[in-house]
Amino acid sequence: MSGRRARAERKAGKSTATGTNKTPGREWTLTGGALEARKARIATVEHLRTAPIARLLQLDRLQHACELHAAHAGDRRAATALVFGGIGYRPPFPTDLGRAADMVVRDEARYLASADLYVLTPQMCDVVVAAAQTLDRQDLELLEEDDLPSMSGLVMLPHPIIVKTVGGALGDTRAITWHTPSQIQQPSKDMTRLEDRPAARVSVYNDTHGPVRPDSFLQLAAQARAVGTPLPPLLLDAIRCVPFRHHATTEQLEALHSFSELVRETGEAEHEATATHGLNEDRVIGEYTPGGQIDDVDDSFALRFLYAFWRLCEQRIAAVDQVQTGPTAQRQAERVGVPPEVRVVQLRRTDKRGNQESPGRDWQHRWVVRMHKVRQWYPSLKRHKVIYRGPYIKGPDDKPLLGGETIRGLVR
């Protein structure tokens, strides 16, 4: 995608120490969270199905991705294969990027519409963020199909998570989807060809209504309103596939590192170019503090977040309850062809002593305690699984959560 439009799509929100956006004066409720998530999904599905501007945005992404891979690989055909093979498509790969953009957006609309909808409570979201920050690439290599709670899912966050991308832009992740079965075309161990591997397709959606207002985004939003298709609540940001049972070789990791360096350098150059043209791409309305975001240095935070969420659900640290669906919500969902059910995910284990200990003390933060990540060997399965011992959250509910560096007892 082009520099200006790439940043137009990457909106950001206010940040606490964990890089999250929590609207002051607005208390999150289970009913309200479920209603907001259902409406956001419906509006976004309709936009993806019908809005030409959604195709134009995806076209920019594909063009930019192909340019980056071509610069890295030195071959445009190889770049096309890496781009489309990396988001779940098999050869022959498309040569018309306009038609390809339409294909990708239509598929996204279909996957978003059919996904099981999960809504995280604020406390559960904090725990998943903390758990995700303990994971590394080696942990992701343990991922198996049976780790997924459903074939297709949509996780809606109660507030944006502020993430700094490899290219240096801020994004406010508000929803993440997964879809199986899928596949990924990956370089072979000797880096001479692409091989097909089973995978989950993962898509990241940003919050359209966050407090960061770069000039390019304001122009994009105005353009969308002018043509009669205002931007939806969730703005598709990135798509990628994560393979199952994949152990990267040294050569593959070196290639990934080299490509990440190219993306970082390109992002820095694009940011300088927008500033030269007089665009303010750093305008923020709110309390965001530079440096308070999650730095996604290897483009894996969305995958780590999902994996942490899946593992916490399997361990029953997370309690999943279905919210009752009223007749109006039922009709709205049926009109668009999406499931009306909403599953709210809450933390089972919390600590209520934060307000009871030292009554005279003014607690300024919440924090996750007693979280231990372990790679547990299961003899019957002949494989390791990531498990978490704990956690619970301590401190007043209305205080910001300290970041991942406060996690204690990390075990490998």
Side-chain angles (χ1 to χ4, degrees):
M1 55 194 150
S2 67
R4 287 181 60 181
R5 188 156 289 171
R7 284 174 177 77
E9 300 166 44
R10 293 183 180 127
K11 303 266 334 324
K14 290 184 305 184
S15 173
T16 65
T18 56
T20 58
N21 173 37
K22 299 180 181 180
T23 305
R26 181 183 175 187
E27 182 180 357
W28 191 93
T29 65
L30 186 149
T31 302
L35 178 63
E36 180 186 17
R38 187 186 292 113
K39 287 183 175 180
R41 194 244 287 260
I42 289 174
T44 304
V45 166
E46 291 183 309
H47 182 86
L48 291 174
R49 286 174 177 171
T50 62
I53 198 168
R55 275 89 185 142
L56 291 175
L57 291 175
Q58 187 59 45
L59 175 60
D60 274 348
R61 295 189 191 97
L62 293 176
Q63 288 175 334
H64 190 248
C66 286
E67 291 169 0
L68 283 172
H69 279 285
H72 185 252
D75 184 285
R76 286 198 170 274
R77 291 184 61 184
T80 300
L82 287 168
V83 169
F84 289 98
I87 59 176
Y89 296 102
R90 286 192 170 102
F93 298 114
T95 56
D96 185 327
L97 290 186
R99 292 183 178 180
D102 181 63
M103 173 187 70
V104 172
V105 171
R106 282 190 286 107
D107 286 342
E108 277 301 308
R110 181 158 50 90
Y111 299 150
L112 185 62
S114 62
D116 293 339
L117 175 54
Y118 299 84
V119 177
L120 302 186
T121 65
Q123 198 170 58
M124 188 66 217
C125 183
D126 289 338
V127 169
V128 177
V129 170
Q133 290 176 292
T134 71
L135 298 174
D136 56 30
R137 192 166 292 277
Q138 289 181 315
D139 294 320
L140 293 178
E141 292 180 351
L142 301 177
L143 177 64
E144 298 263 9
E145 291 96 328
D146 61 7
D147 285 315
L148 279 60
S150 60
M151 299 289 287
S152 185
L154 160 63
V155 178
M156 186 75 175
L157 281 55
H159 45 70
I161 296 176
I162 309 308
V163 180
K164 186 177 182 180
T165 68
V166 177
L170 288 178
D172 54 345
T173 300
R174 186 63 190 273
I176 308 175
T177 68
W178 73 87
H179 175 79
T180 54
S182 188
Q183 60 285 317
I184 184 172
Q185 296 269 316
Q186 286 191 315
S188 60
K189 291 184 178 181
D190 59 9
M191 305 298 288
T192 61
R193 65 190 183 280
L194 293 179
E195 296 178 333
D196 199 31
R197 299 190 62 88
R201 173 161 155 161
V202 174
S203 301
V204 178
Y205 288 80
N206 283 343
D207 191 330
T208 301
H209 304 297
V212 169
R213 287 290 186 269
D215 286 339
S216 56
F217 177 81
L218 296 179
Q219 294 170 5
L220 172 67
Q223 179 186 354
R225 290 192 299 271
V227 297
T229 53
L231 297 179
L234 304 176
L235 195 62
L236 178 62
D237 178 57
I239 308 169
R240 63 176 301 180
C241 286
V242 53
F244 300 123
R245 304 180 301 279
H246 173 67
H247 299 281
T249 65
T250 300
E251 292 77 13
Q252 290 169 334
L253 291 175
E254 288 176 350
L256 177 61
H257 176 73
S258 175
F259 181 71
S260 296
E261 285 298 311
L262 174 63
V263 173
R264 187 174 295 107
E265 292 170 1
T266 303
E268 292 174 356
E270 289 175 346
H271 189 269
E272 291 178 4
T274 56
T276 301
H277 285 85
L279 294 177
N280 182 358
E281 297 296 273
D282 301 314
R283 182 186 300 110
V284 181
I285 302 172
E287 301 172 0
Y288 169 71
T289 302
Q293 73 283 331
I294 292 170
D295 289 334
D296 192 7
V297 296
D298 60 355
D299 193 30
S300 70
F301 178 73
L303 305 181
R304 288 186 280 121
F305 185 91
L306 274 186
Y307 189 39
F309 169 67
W310 295 334
R311 299 304 304 139
L312 292 169
C313 285
E314 181 176 304
Q315 292 183 240
R316 297 184 61 79
I317 293 174
V320 183
D321 300 307
Q322 191 159 303
V323 179
Q324 185 174 359
T325 305
T328 301
Q330 185 84 30
R331 288 192 298 270
Q332 291 173 340
E334 290 175 352
R335 175 179 58 82
V336 182
V338 304
E341 295 82 13
V342 179
R343 299 159 181 81
V344 174
V345 185
Q346 304 182 64
L347 181 67
R348 283 183 184 276
R349 295 197 290 273
T350 59
D351 182 77
K352 298 299 184 182
R353 294 173 295 172
N355 292 321
Q356 297 173 6
E357 297 178 7
S358 304
R361 182 167 183 176
D362 182 17
W363 296 92
Q364 297 300 313
H365 295 92
R366 292 175 299 137
W367 62 97
V368 179
V369 294
R370 297 181 185 174
M371 177 182 287
H372 307 267
K373 182 194 75 176
V374 180
R375 292 176 188 157
Q376 180 72 44
W377 174 254
Y378 288 78
S380 61
L381 300 176
K382 294 182 170 52
R383 55 174 287 207
H384 286 91
K385 283 190 174 186
V386 170
I387 63 172
Y388 290 100
R389 305 194 190 282
Y392 67 80
I393 292 180
K394 188 171 182 179
D397 289 340
D398 61 344
K399 299 298 183 181
L401 185 80
L402 290 176
E405 69 277 4
T406 63
I407 303 300
R408 296 174 175 84
L410 178 61
V411 178
R412 297 256 179 111

